[in-house]
């Protein structure tokens, strides 16, 4: 395939935008080469500036669960746009989407809308601290909760009790309040809690990790976390920015039948526009300004365009009783097909899957945490990525990302993908 125009556009972009991109993972740093510039997209396909057609397995990193330019969402946005795009005053549609979200998601009474997943997680942690009067938080190595300071803490052997900043610009003072735990390791979490008695406000977790590839929680891991939180008066925050409205109508809480205290949303809830949200029971949400002392605000929060897209998206998901089964079946079909062609070609691999999230790791070890996920970040992945791109298939340009299955994918698309992977496998 020819990427001449994309390459030229990237060269221009690099002059005026750092790295040529407005979010780092869009650059092909982990895999080499230059990013592809999209012209338009429809359903399961991207069309780039060189007029290549690509089958999309990223889908804007999750939001486009029903495919690109999904008509009811597009119509809702266009209609709203004609009536003004932002007022900084309350609108009825904010209540409508809030009512729908509260009816779909277990254990939440109130929801506050923001503009990104980052904002949602950052605000959820502030609320947890304000509510409990405690400062420290526990996060898991390899989980991503957006780019606010408290979360940019990397795993490291010395970081058991006190975190250390991994991004310049994060102060040591902030880092020391973030404690790092190993995903799927309840003993590790217990030790951290016991070493920091009465200091931990919350544990924040991706209930199915999706930012180190896809890593499902081990059986009873989330339940054990819930019990630990109850025992020690710690709030449990499910970061469902990726899993919310994707794994089930009520997200991971619904799927695993476990209640979190605060839930964060993003991605699907905005239908492709910039939306995040956090939600909880009344007793917690009532601590938020203007009802309570914990401050949080936003000029464009709940703006009509974003709310129209989100409401149209949630309505579609709420009214389709089969959508989540259908997505899971397509993903299982893809899983089986990929396993077959990789095995036929003796390619060492592990595939993780949960609902419509799937990732292929090029290592034989079971992938259960950041350490095991890191083993698949290798040369094989790079060859695989570029091989698929050449076949007209777009997966994330990093081994640490999940593939997102959209309902717009047909079984023909999946068969085409499996056959292409078979051809690429011969080069691995
Ligand atoms: C994408 C993501 C975020 C950050 O959301 P942004 O909208 O990119 O700020 C937070 N948490 C999880 C689990 C995510 O996948």
């Amino acid at each position: 395939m020819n990427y001449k125009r994309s390459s030229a556009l990237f060269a221009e972009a690099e002059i005026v935008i750092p790295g040529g991109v407005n979010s780092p993972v869009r650059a092909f740093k982990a895999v080499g080469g230059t990013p592809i510039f999209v012209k338009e997209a429809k359903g399961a396909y991207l069309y780039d500036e060189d007029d290549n057609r690509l089958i999309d397995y990223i889908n804007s990193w999750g939001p486009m669960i029903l495919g690109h330019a999904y008509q009811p969402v597009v119509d809702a946005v266009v209609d709203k746009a004609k009536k003004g795009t932002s007022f900084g005053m309350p609108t009825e549609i904010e209540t409508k989407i809030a009512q729908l979200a509260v009816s779909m998601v277990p254990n939440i009474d109130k929801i506050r809308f923001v503009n990104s997943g980052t904002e949602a997680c950052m605000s959820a942690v502030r609320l947890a601290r304000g509510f409990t009067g405690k400062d420290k938080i526990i996060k898991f190595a390899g989980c991503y909760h957006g780019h606010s300071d408290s979360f940019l803490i990397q795993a490291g052997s010395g970081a058991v009790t006190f975190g250390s900043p991994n991004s310049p610009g994060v102060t040591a003072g902030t880092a020391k309040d973030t404690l790092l735990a190993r995903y799927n390791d309840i003993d590790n979490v217990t030790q951290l809690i016991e070493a920091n008695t009465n200091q931990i406000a919350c544990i924040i977790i991706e209930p199915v990790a999706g930012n180190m590839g896809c890593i499902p929680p081990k059986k009873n891991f989330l339940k054990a976390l819930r019990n630990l939180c109850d025992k020690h008066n710690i709030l449990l925050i499910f970061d469902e920015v990726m899993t919310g409205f994707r794994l089930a109508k009520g997200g991971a809480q619904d799927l695993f039948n476990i209640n979190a205290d605060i839930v964060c949303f993003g991605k699907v809830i905005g239908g492709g526009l910039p939306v995040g949200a956090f939600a909880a029971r009344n007793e917690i949400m009532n601590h938020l300004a203007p009802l309570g002392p914990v401050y949080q605000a936003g000029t464009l929060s709940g703006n009509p365009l974003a709310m129209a897209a989100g409401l149209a998206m949630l309505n579609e998901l709420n009214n389709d009783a089969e959508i989540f089964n259908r997505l899971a079946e397509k993903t299982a079909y893809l899983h089986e097909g990929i396993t077959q062609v990789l095995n036929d070609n003796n390619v060492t691999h592990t595939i993780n899957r949960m609902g419509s999230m799937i990732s292929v790791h090029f290592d034989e070890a079971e992938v259960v945490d950041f350490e095991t996920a890191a083993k698949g970040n290798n040369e094989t992945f790079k060859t695989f990525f570029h091989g698929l791109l050449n076949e007209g298939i777009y997966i994330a340009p990093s081994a640490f990302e999940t593939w997102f299955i959209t309902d717009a994918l047909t079984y023909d698309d999946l068969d085409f993908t499996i056959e292409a992977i078979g051809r690429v496998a011969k080069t691995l």
Side-chain angles (χ1 to χ4, degrees), residues 333-347:
Y333 182 86
L334 187 65
H335 184 165
E336 242 171 70
I338 299 176
T339 303
Q340 183 76 47
V341 295
L342 291 181
N343 283 342
D344 287 350
N345 290 283
N346 299 314
V347 178

Side-chain angles (χ1 to χ4, degrees), residues 207-209 214-218 243 246-247 252 255-256 327-328 331 335 351-359 402-403 405:
V208 173
C214 171
I215 302 186
K218 284 186 178 161
T243 55
R246 169 169 290 280
L247 292 184
L255 187 68
F256 298 113
L327 283 164
T331 314
H335 184 165
I351 297 178
N352 281 1
R353 165 172 61 96
M354 179 66 66
S356 53
M357 297 161 63
I358 183 170
S359 56
T402 296
W403 309 15
I405 303 308

Side-chain angles (χ1 to χ4, degrees), residues 52-71:
N52 300 304
R53 190 195 84 168
L54 300 163
I55 302 181
D56 189 7
Y57 284 96
I58 306 182
N59 288 291
S60 187
W61 305 89
M64 319 318 298
I65 192 168
L66 300 176
H68 291 283
Y70 188 72
Q71 206 59 49

Side-chain angles (χ1 to χ4, degrees), residues 184 217-222:
N184 274 326
K218 284 186 178 161
K219 194 167 161 24
N220 293 329
F221 177 62
L222 296 175

Side-chain angles (χ1 to χ4, degrees), residues 303-324:
N303 81 82
L305 288 195
M307 296 295 94
L311 180 59
M313 177 64 93
L314 295 197
N315 265 325
E316 293 295 312
L317 299 175
N318 193 41
N319 293 334
D320 186 341
E322 281 306 307
I323 175 79
F324 298 105

Side-chain angles (χ1 to χ4, degrees), residues 183 186 205-208 217-227 236 238 252 256 258:
Y183 201 83
I186 200 70
I205 186 164
E206 292 179 61
V208 173
K218 284 186 178 161
K219 194 167 161 24
N220 293 329
F221 177 62
L222 296 175
K223 181 99 185 86
L225 274 185
R226 178 69 271 174
N227 292 341
L236 180 60
F238 273 7
F256 298 113
I258 291 178

Side-chain angles (χ1 to χ4, degrees), residues 141 182-184 212-215 218 350 352 361-378 399-400:
R182 239 186 332 268
Y183 201 83
N184 274 326
M212 43 183 163
C214 171
I215 302 186
K218 284 186 178 161
T350 302
N352 281 1
H361 307 258
F362 294 101
D363 191 80
E364 62 211 334
E366 203 191 347
V367 177
V368 295
D369 55 18
F370 185 66
E371 205 179 315
T372 43
K375 291 181 181 165
N377 181 28
N378 47 32
F400 293 116

Side-chain angles (χ1 to χ4, degrees), residues 116-119 121 144-147 206 211 239 241-242 267:
S116 67
T118 295
E119 270 186 75
C121 296
Y144 181 68
H145 306 293
H147 63 90
E206 292 179 61
N211 286 289
D239 176 355
V241 170
M242 195 179 277
K267 301 193 168 114

